[in-house]
PDB file of all heavy atoms in Angstrom:
ATOM      1  N   TRP A  39     419.328  49.368 290.839  1.00  0.00           N
ATOM      2  CA  TRP A  39     420.570  50.089 290.541  1.00  0.00           C
ATOM      3  C   TRP A  39     420.231  51.528 290.174  1.00  0.00           C
ATOM      4  O   TRP A  39     419.566  51.776 289.184  1.00  0.00           O
ATOM      5  CB  TRP A  39     421.286  49.424 289.368  1.00  0.00           C
ATOM      6  CG  TRP A  39     421.592  47.983 289.592  1.00  0.00           C
ATOM      7  CD1 TRP A  39     420.753  46.923 289.436  1.00  0.00           C
ATOM      8  CD2 TRP A  39     422.821  47.438 290.049  1.00  0.00           C
ATOM      9  NE1 TRP A  39     421.374  45.752 289.752  1.00  0.00           N
ATOM     10  CE2 TRP A  39     422.656  46.027 290.130  1.00  0.00           C
ATOM     11  CE3 TRP A  39     424.065  47.992 290.394  1.00  0.00           C
ATOM     12  CZ2 TRP A  39     423.677  45.183 290.547  1.00  0.00           C
ATOM     13  CZ3 TRP A  39     425.080  47.154 290.793  1.00  0.00           C
ATOM     14  CH2 TRP A  39     424.888  45.775 290.859  1.00  0.00           C
ATOM     15  N   PHE A  40     420.690  52.486 290.974  1.00  0.00           N
ATOM     16  CA  PHE A  40     420.457  53.883 290.620  1.00  0.00           C
ATOM     17  C   PHE A  40     421.505  54.746 291.308  1.00  0.00           C
ATOM     18  O   PHE A  40     422.107  54.371 292.316  1.00  0.00           O
ATOM     19  CB  PHE A  40     419.049  54.330 291.028  1.00  0.00           C
ATOM     20  CG  PHE A  40     418.808  54.398 292.514  1.00  0.00           C
ATOM     21  CD1 PHE A  40     418.876  55.609 293.188  1.00  0.00           C
ATOM     22  CD2 PHE A  40     418.515  53.253 293.237  1.00  0.00           C
ATOM     23  CE1 PHE A  40     418.650  55.670 294.559  1.00  0.00           C
ATOM     24  CE2 PHE A  40     418.290  53.299 294.597  1.00  0.00           C
ATOM     25  CZ  PHE A  40     418.356  54.515 295.270  1.00  0.00           C
ATOM     26  N   MET A  41     421.750  55.915 290.730  1.00  0.00           N
ATOM     27  CA  MET A  41     422.682  56.895 291.286  1.00  0.00           C
ATOM     28  C   MET A  41     421.933  58.211 291.438  1.00  0.00           C
ATOM     29  O   MET A  41     421.059  58.531 290.623  1.00  0.00           O
ATOM     30  CB  MET A  41     423.904  57.076 290.380  1.00  0.00           C
ATOM     31  CG  MET A  41     424.732  55.793 290.209  1.00  0.00           C
ATOM     32  SD  MET A  41     426.164  56.018 289.124  1.00  0.00           S
ATOM     33  CE  MET A  41     427.131  57.179 290.104  1.00  0.00           C
ATOM     34  N   GLY A  42     422.263  58.945 292.455  1.00  0.00           N
ATOM     35  CA  GLY A  42     421.587  60.205 292.696  1.00  0.00           C
ATOM     36  C   GLY A  42     420.473  60.045 293.707  1.00  0.00           C
ATOM     37  O   GLY A  42     420.301  58.996 294.328  1.00  0.00           O
ATOM     38  N   GLY A  43     419.639  61.071 293.843  1.00  0.00           N
ATOM     39  CA  GLY A  43     418.636  61.082 294.891  1.00  0.00           C
ATOM     40  C   GLY A  43     417.284  60.555 294.496  1.00  0.00           C
ATOM     41  O   GLY A  43     416.433  60.338 295.358  1.00  0.00           O
ATOM     42  N   GLU A  44     417.036  60.350 293.203  1.00  0.00           N
ATOM     43  CA  GLU A  44     415.708  59.947 292.767  1.00  0.00           C
ATOM     44  C   GLU A  44     415.746  58.527 292.221  1.00  0.00           C
ATOM     45  O   GLU A  44     416.481  58.219 291.284  1.00  0.00           O
ATOM     46  CB  GLU A  44     415.177  60.899 291.689  1.00  0.00           C
ATOM     47  CG  GLU A  44     413.722  60.637 291.343  1.00  0.00           C
ATOM     48  CD  GLU A  44     413.143  61.718 290.446  1.00  0.00           C
ATOM     49  OE1 GLU A  44     413.821  62.740 290.261  1.00  0.00           O
ATOM     50  OE2 GLU A  44     412.021  61.523 289.937  1.00  0.00           O
ATOM     51  N   ARG A  45     414.940  57.670 292.812  1.00  0.00           N
ATOM     52  CA  ARG A  45     414.884  56.267 292.414  1.00  0.00           C
ATOM     53  C   ARG A  45     413.674  56.032 291.517  1.00  0.00           C
ATOM     54  O   ARG A  45     412.567  56.443 291.845  1.00  0.00           O
ATOM     55  CB  ARG A  45     414.790  55.389 293.665  1.00  0.00           C
ATOM     56  CG  ARG A  45     414.787  53.893 293.409  1.00  0.00           C
ATOM     57  CD  ARG A  45     414.498  53.158 294.701  1.00  0.00           C
ATOM     58  NE  ARG A  45     414.565  51.707 294.535  1.00  0.00           N
ATOM     59  CZ  ARG A  45     414.030  50.846 295.399  1.00  0.00           C
ATOM     60  NH1 ARG A  45     413.385  51.294 296.477  1.00  0.00           N
ATOM     61  NH2 ARG A  45     414.138  49.556 295.181  1.00  0.00           N
ATOM     62  N   LEU A  46     413.889  55.369 290.386  1.00  0.00           N
ATOM     63  CA  LEU A  46     412.781  55.054 289.491  1.00  0.00           C
ATOM     64  C   LEU A  46     411.866  54.028 290.140  1.00  0.00           C
ATOM     65  O   LEU A  46     412.321  52.993 290.625  1.00  0.00           O
ATOM     66  CB  LEU A  46     413.329  54.495 288.167  1.00  0.00           C
ATOM     67  CG  LEU A  46     412.279  54.001 287.168  1.00  0.00           C
ATOM     68  CD1 LEU A  46     411.426  55.169 286.669  1.00  0.00           C
ATOM     69  CD2 LEU A  46     412.956  53.296 286.000  1.00  0.00           C
ATOM     70  N   MET A  47     410.567  54.305 290.149  1.00  0.00           N
ATOM     71  CA  MET A  47     409.574  53.399 290.717  1.00  0.00           C
ATOM     72  C   MET A  47     408.712  52.840 289.584  1.00  0.00           C
ATOM     73  O   MET A  47     408.320  53.558 288.666  1.00  0.00           O
ATOM     74  CB  MET A  47     408.691  54.125 291.737  1.00  0.00           C
ATOM     75  CG  MET A  47     409.474  54.863 292.820  1.00  0.00           C
ATOM     76  SD  MET A  47     410.629  53.808 293.762  1.00  0.00           S
ATOM     77  CE  MET A  47     409.465  52.859 294.745  1.00  0.00           C
ATOM     78  N   TYR A  48     408.412  51.557 289.676  1.00  0.00           N
ATOM     79  CA  TYR A  48     407.631  50.896 288.630  1.00  0.00           C
ATOM     80  C   TYR A  48     406.140  51.007 288.947  1.00  0.00           C
ATOM     81  O   TYR A  48     405.456  50.034 289.283  1.00  0.00           O
ATOM     82  CB  TYR A  48     408.076  49.436 288.515  1.00  0.00           C
ATOM     83  CG  TYR A  48     409.552  49.297 288.212  1.00  0.00           C
ATOM     84  CD1 TYR A  48     410.401  48.647 289.105  1.00  0.00           C
ATOM     85  CD2 TYR A  48     410.098  49.827 287.048  1.00  0.00           C
ATOM     86  CE1 TYR A  48     411.758  48.521 288.836  1.00  0.00           C
ATOM     87  CE2 TYR A  48     411.446  49.715 286.763  1.00  0.00           C
ATOM     88  CZ  TYR A  48     412.282  49.063 287.662  1.00  0.00           C
ATOM     89  OH  TYR A  48     413.621  48.953 287.387  1.00  0.00           O
ATOM     90  N   THR A  49     405.642  52.221 288.802  1.00  0.00           N
ATOM     91  CA  THR A  49     404.265  52.516 289.204  1.00  0.00           C
ATOM     92  C   THR A  49     403.234  51.875 288.278  1.00  0.00           C
ATOM     93  O   THR A  49     402.089  51.647 288.674  1.00  0.00           O
ATOM     94  CB  THR A  49     404.030  54.033 289.241  1.00  0.00           C
ATOM     95  OG1 THR A  49     404.384  54.593 287.966  1.00  0.00           O
ATOM     96  CG2 THR A  49     404.900  54.674 290.319  1.00  0.00           C
ATOM     97  N   GLY A  50     403.623  51.586 287.030  1.00  0.00           N
ATOM     98  CA  GLY A  50     402.675  50.975 286.100  1.00  0.00           C
ATOM     99  C   GLY A  50     402.202  49.611 286.560  1.00  0.00           C
ATOM    100  O   GLY A  50     401.099  49.170 286.193  1.00  0.00           O
ATOM    101  N   LEU A  51     402.996  48.934 287.380  1.00  0.00           N
ATOM    102  CA  LEU A  51     402.627  47.598 287.856  1.00  0.00           C
ATOM    103  C   LEU A  51     401.550  47.653 288.937  1.00  0.00           C
ATOM    104  O   LEU A  51     401.053  46.600 289.362  1.00  0.00           O
ATOM    105  CB  LEU A  51     403.859  46.864 288.391  1.00  0.00           C
ATOM    106  CG  LEU A  51     405.005  46.672 287.385  1.00  0.00           C
ATOM    107  CD1 LEU A  51     406.142  45.879 288.011  1.00  0.00           C
ATOM    108  CD2 LEU A  51     404.509  45.981 286.115  1.00  0.00           C
ATOM    109  N   LEU A  52     401.174  48.855 289.371  1.00  0.00           N
ATOM    110  CA  LEU A  52     400.072  48.990 290.321  1.00  0.00           C
ATOM    111  C   LEU A  52     398.719  48.819 289.631  1.00  0.00           C
ATOM    112  O   LEU A  52     397.696  48.658 290.302  1.00  0.00           O
ATOM    113  CB  LEU A  52     400.134  50.356 291.010  1.00  0.00           C
ATOM    114  CG  LEU A  52     401.339  50.591 291.938  1.00  0.00           C
ATOM    115  CD1 LEU A  52     401.371  52.046 292.394  1.00  0.00           C
ATOM    116  CD2 LEU A  52     401.283  49.660 293.149  1.00  0.00           C
ATOM    117  N   GLN A  53     398.712  48.884 288.296  1.00  0.00           N
ATOM    118  CA  GLN A  53     397.465  48.663 287.575  1.00  0.00           C
ATOM    119  C   GLN A  53     396.989  47.223 287.796  1.00  0.00           C
ATOM    120  O   GLN A  53     397.785  46.283 287.729  1.00  0.00           O
ATOM    121  CB  GLN A  53     397.667  48.907 286.081  1.00  0.00           C
ATOM    122  CG  GLN A  53     398.010  50.341 285.729  1.00  0.00           C
ATOM    123  CD  GLN A  53     396.885  51.293 286.087  1.00  0.00           C
ATOM    124  OE1 GLN A  53     395.701  50.980 285.909  1.00  0.00           O
ATOM    125  NE2 GLN A  53     397.257  52.451 286.620  1.00  0.00           N
ATOM    126  N   PRO A  54     395.709  47.006 288.090  1.00  0.00           N
ATOM    127  CA  PRO A  54     395.240  45.669 288.475  1.00  0.00           C
ATOM    128  C   PRO A  54     395.250  44.642 287.347  1.00  0.00           C
ATOM    129  O   PRO A  54     395.295  43.444 287.615  1.00  0.00           O
ATOM    130  CB  PRO A  54     393.804  45.923 288.969  1.00  0.00           C
ATOM    131  CG  PRO A  54     393.395  47.207 288.300  1.00  0.00           C
ATOM    132  CD  PRO A  54     394.639  48.018 288.182  1.00  0.00           C
ATOM    133  N   ASP A  55     395.212  45.088 286.097  1.00  0.00           N
ATOM    134  CA  ASP A  55     395.162  44.150 284.974  1.00  0.00           C
ATOM    135  C   ASP A  55     396.574  43.881 284.463  1.00  0.00           C
ATOM    136  O   ASP A  55     397.197  44.771 283.861  1.00  0.00           O
ATOM    137  CB  ASP A  55     394.297  44.720 283.850  1.00  0.00           C
ATOM    138  CG  ASP A  55     394.204  43.769 282.660  1.00  0.00           C
ATOM    139  OD1 ASP A  55     394.655  42.608 282.778  1.00  0.00           O
ATOM    140  OD2 ASP A  55     393.682  44.196 281.613  1.00  0.00           O
ATOM    141  N   PRO A  56     397.123  42.664 284.635  1.00  0.00           N
ATOM    142  CA  PRO A  56     398.487  42.373 284.166  1.00  0.00           C
ATOM    143  C   PRO A  56     398.660  42.590 282.662  1.00  0.00           C
ATOM    144  O   PRO A  56     399.766  42.891 282.207  1.00  0.00           O
ATOM    145  CB  PRO A  56     398.688  40.898 284.541  1.00  0.00           C
ATOM    146  CG  PRO A  56     397.736  40.653 285.662  1.00  0.00           C
ATOM    147  CD  PRO A  56     396.555  41.514 285.355  1.00  0.00           C
ATOM    148  N   GLN A  57     397.586  42.461 281.884  1.00  0.00           N
ATOM    149  CA  GLN A  57     397.700  42.645 280.440  1.00  0.00           C
ATOM    150  C   GLN A  57     398.009  44.094 280.075  1.00  0.00           C
ATOM    151  O   GLN A  57     398.487  44.369 278.965  1.00  0.00           O
ATOM    152  CB  GLN A  57     396.398  42.209 279.750  1.00  0.00           C
ATOM    153  CG  GLN A  57     395.972  40.778 280.024  1.00  0.00           C
ATOM    154  CD  GLN A  57     396.958  39.742 279.492  1.00  0.00           C
ATOM    155  OE1 GLN A  57     397.779  40.037 278.632  1.00  0.00           O
ATOM    156  NE2 GLN A  57     396.895  38.540 280.023  1.00  0.00           N
TER     157      GLN A  57
END
Side-chain angles (χ1 to χ4, degrees):
W39 303 82
F40 68 99
M41 298 179 65
E44 188 171 350
R45 183 188 184 198
L46 175 66
M47 307 304 288
Y48 302 118
T49 55
L51 301 183
L52 293 172
Q53 295 297 321
D55 181 9
Q57 303 296 341

